[in-house]
Amino acid sequence: MHNVISLEKVSFRFPEDELPVFEKVDLNVSAGERIVITGPSGCGKSSLLYLLNRLYPENCDGIVSGKVELFKKAAAEYAPGEINQRIATVFQDPDSQFCMQTVEEELAFTLENVKVPVGKIDERITRVLQETGLEDFRHSVIQTLSGGQKQRVATACAWVLEPEVLLLDEPLTHLDPVTAKEFVAWLRELHQTRDLTVIAIDHQVELWDGFFDREWQMAPAKVSSRIVKREPVHAGKIALSAKALAVSPILSPISFSLHQGEIAVLAGPNGSGKSTLLKALCGLKSTGGSVEPKRIGYVPQSPEFLFLTKSVRDELAFGGGDQVDEMIERLYLKPVSEAHPFAVSHGQKRRVAIGAMLCDGRPVIVMDEPTAGQDAAALTELENLIKARANEGVTFLIVTHDMNFAHRTAETLLLLKNGQLSGQFKPSAVWQNAQLLNAHRLCAPSGGVRFASPHESFG
């Protein structure tokens, strides 16, 4: 097969940095090949992808050395935007690529940008909505959709271009487990029906069920390729709602309570209202319930919305916490401690926001998809920190689609569907109940050791 992408001794550096993001990369990608890029947060995976779609270096004044060829033509010879029909991208944060109000308008805008004749636009939109299972969302306002639904819309916007190469930056991050499996199956079918090349970044390769031909493992300032075969108890109780909590029209009246120091996971299908519930608890959505938002720390799905300072260190110290150095060390933020929080990777941004809340002394912390973009080491340390803070009496309510994380950490599983709370369960009871799992588009965890909580014991 002929090469569609060829990198030879390629290095990349931001102009304000002394050290390169990565250096001396040699990479050849054949037409129809499926490659996953893995490696620690901040090692340059997204930057490498952005060289391939020509977003970098022009849009960041980045400095590139070495040889970059796309479809056997020097990358620098392409006019701005010329390559983006042949190489389409789905970004990690889907909000960053939307320009229009509705799904239909966004798809039309995408096609207009590549000069598709007006008479063919409606036909292309109808076809891609059918192929991606988004027919019912054609006239939906994008900003009313869940994170997972937005990710599917972003993928549709890439696919409507009929690209030869599809670049995916952690596309499963905001998808519930069943939707993630359906996404992979859909992508596999597309790959079989046309000569599509897929390059994806993902920390959870096992979710792809053998989809990839090769795995590239990346480290800071270098990249190498190899083919991979595939404690004390605190008494008390914290009531997150004394009265019924209702956020109209998304949520029905909801009531639940958590013990002080309890770790609870909130799970359910995309669009079920999980993020809305967290925002309501923090006073960011109108609610008929009784909450104390000032006592709740909030880590949103897009953590950069919280940033107020010019460095990672200052961000963690903003709330007056006295454990900043320890938090920087434990969350693997030392290499970027003086960097602007907007300039670090998506996984690092999440850890900055989490660290700021953990330093802030709030008795209750709610997190929206904190595991997204985290490599194995960072995820393990995050789990250890959550456990340690819970033992000190901090209560956690965490939205996640990662049932392995839920299995290792959660004492309570709250299941949400269609804006209604299905119930408050012991995780083990859910893992053994196929009906509950199917109804909430979840998969039982594949394994992993979890810790005994202050509120339960394991025999």
Side-chain angles (χ1 to χ4, degrees):
M1 299 292 289
H2 65 279
N3 288 338
V4 293
I5 291 171
S6 180
L7 305 182
E8 184 178 336
K9 298 189 185 310
V10 174
S11 301
F12 176 75
R13 176 172 66 86
F14 291 109
E16 64 274 13
D17 294 340
E18 294 182 6
L19 297 176
V21 178
F22 54 80
E23 59 182 348
K24 297 181 180 177
V25 172
D26 293 309
L27 170 64
N28 291 303
V29 181
S30 300
E33 196 169 12
R34 297 169 292 183
I35 295 177
V36 61
I37 302 174
T38 61
S41 299
C43 69
K45 300 185 297 297
S46 295
S47 296
L48 180 62
L49 234 59
Y50 299 161
L51 282 186
L52 304 184
N53 65 11
R54 303 299 296 149
L55 181 64
Y56 287 177
E58 286 86 354
N59 290 294
C60 67
D61 296 324
I63 300 166
V64 181
S65 61
K67 183 179 178 181
V68 181
E69 285 191 349
L70 307 174
F71 303 102
K72 297 188 176 182
K73 176 180 173 181
E77 294 180 13
Y78 286 94
E82 182 184 357
I83 199 66
N84 298 124
Q85 185 168 0
R86 301 183 72 181
I87 301 179
T89 309
V90 179
F91 295 94
Q92 193 175 107
D93 178 10
D95 281 318
S96 66
Q97 61 192 101
F98 296 136
C99 299
M100 308 302 288
Q101 185 175 20
T102 70
V103 172
E104 182 179 53
E105 290 168 346
E106 187 67 32
L107 288 165
F109 180 73
T110 301
L111 293 171
E112 289 165 359
N113 273 342
V114 294
K115 298 181 171 56
V116 172
V118 174
K120 295 185 177 181
I121 286 179
D122 187 71
E123 175 191 339
R124 288 270 288 269
I125 290 175
T126 299
R127 186 171 73 247
V128 79
L129 289 173
Q130 290 172 344
E131 291 174 345
T132 56
L134 291 171
E135 302 101 312
D136 293 341
F137 295 92
R138 182 168 189 145
H139 303 293
S140 296
V141 175
I142 293 174
Q143 292 309 317
T144 66
L145 302 180
S146 72
Q149 290 165 343
K150 287 178 182 177
Q151 190 73 300
R152 291 169 61 194
V153 171
T155 304
C157 289
W159 188 244
V160 78
L161 296 172
E162 300 179 348
E164 297 167 63
V165 178
L166 188 60
L167 306 179
L168 303 167
D169 198 349
E170 300 211 42
L172 307 186
T173 293
H174 300 299
L175 302 181
D176 63 63
V178 174
T179 301
K181 284 191 172 186
E182 292 172 348
F183 177 89
V184 173
W186 168 75
L187 198 61
R188 194 188 300 274
E189 185 178 335
L190 292 179
H191 185 270
Q192 292 171 349
T193 56
R194 67 172 67 174
D195 195 21
L196 178 68
T197 304
V198 180
I199 303 175
I201 292 173
D202 211 299
H203 288 290
Q204 301 183 77
V205 182
E206 66 277 4
L207 294 178
W208 290 81
D209 193 27
F211 176 83
F212 297 107
D213 303 312
R214 274 198 291 159
E215 176 180 346
W216 274 73
Q217 296 184 329
M218 200 167 177
K222 64 180 178 180
V223 64
S224 60
S225 173
R226 66 183 179 91
I227 296 179
V228 177
K229 306 293 185 186
R230 291 295 338 149
E231 302 172 20
V233 178
H234 291 263
K237 196 173 187 179
I238 293 182
L240 293 183
S241 176
K243 300 179 181 178
L245 172 66
V247 185
S248 180
I250 301 171
L251 296 176
S252 300
I254 289 174
S255 297
F256 64 92
S257 63
L258 301 176
H259 292 281
Q260 181 179 355
E262 190 170 3
I263 303 171
V265 157
L266 178 64
N270 291 129
S272 58
K274 301 183 299 294
S275 297
T276 298
L277 176 55
L278 292 196
K279 291 175 183 177
L281 290 173
C282 298
L284 301 176
K285 290 276 188 182
S286 59
T287 171
S290 174
V291 296
E292 297 180 72
K294 291 183 179 179
R295 295 176 57 79
I296 299 178
Y298 173 51
V299 180
Q301 223 172 76
S302 298
E304 55 267 30
F305 292 146
L306 295 182
F307 297 154
L308 298 170
T309 70
K310 295 183 178 181
S311 79
V312 167
R313 178 179 296 278
D314 290 345
E315 200 64 42
L316 266 67
F318 185 80
D322 58 359
Q323 297 176 313
V324 173
D325 288 333
E326 177 195 352
M327 201 62 62
I328 285 175
E329 195 76 40
R330 295 191 66 177
L331 290 175
Y332 296 93
L333 294 171
K334 193 170 183 179
V336 296
S337 61
E338 304 307 321
H340 198 290
F342 281 96
V344 301
S345 75
H346 287 282
Q348 290 167 333
K349 285 177 182 175
R350 279 189 170 83
R351 297 204 298 278
V352 171
I354 291 167
M357 290 301 154
L358 290 174
C359 282
D360 208 20
R362 307 284 179 104
V364 180
I365 296 179
V366 298
M367 300 181 179
D368 201 346
E369 295 286 358
T371 68
Q374 306 305 332
D375 57 74
L379 184 56
T380 297
E381 195 55 56
L382 174 60
E383 291 173 4
N384 290 337
L385 276 168
I386 290 172
K387 172 187 174 182
R389 288 294 188 270
N391 281 337
E392 294 167 5
V394 178
T395 303
F396 289 89
L397 178 60
I398 303 169
V399 167
T400 185
H401 292 302
D402 185 345
M403 293 300 100
N404 289 314
F405 169 82
H407 172 67
R408 292 190 298 266
T409 60
E411 306 157 55
T412 296
L413 202 56
L414 298 167
L415 297 184
L416 199 64
K417 181 184 177 185
N418 297 327
Q420 296 184 331
L421 189 65
S422 305
Q424 188 167 346
F425 305 90
K426 291 291 184 185
S428 57
V430 176
W431 310 148
Q432 298 166 16
N433 190 322
Q435 186 176 356
L436 269 180
L437 289 170
N438 292 335
H440 296 85
R441 299 185 69 80
L442 301 175
C443 296
S446 58
V449 179
R450 60 164 305 213
F451 60 87
S453 75
H455 306 293
E456 62 181 329
S457 60
F458 301 94

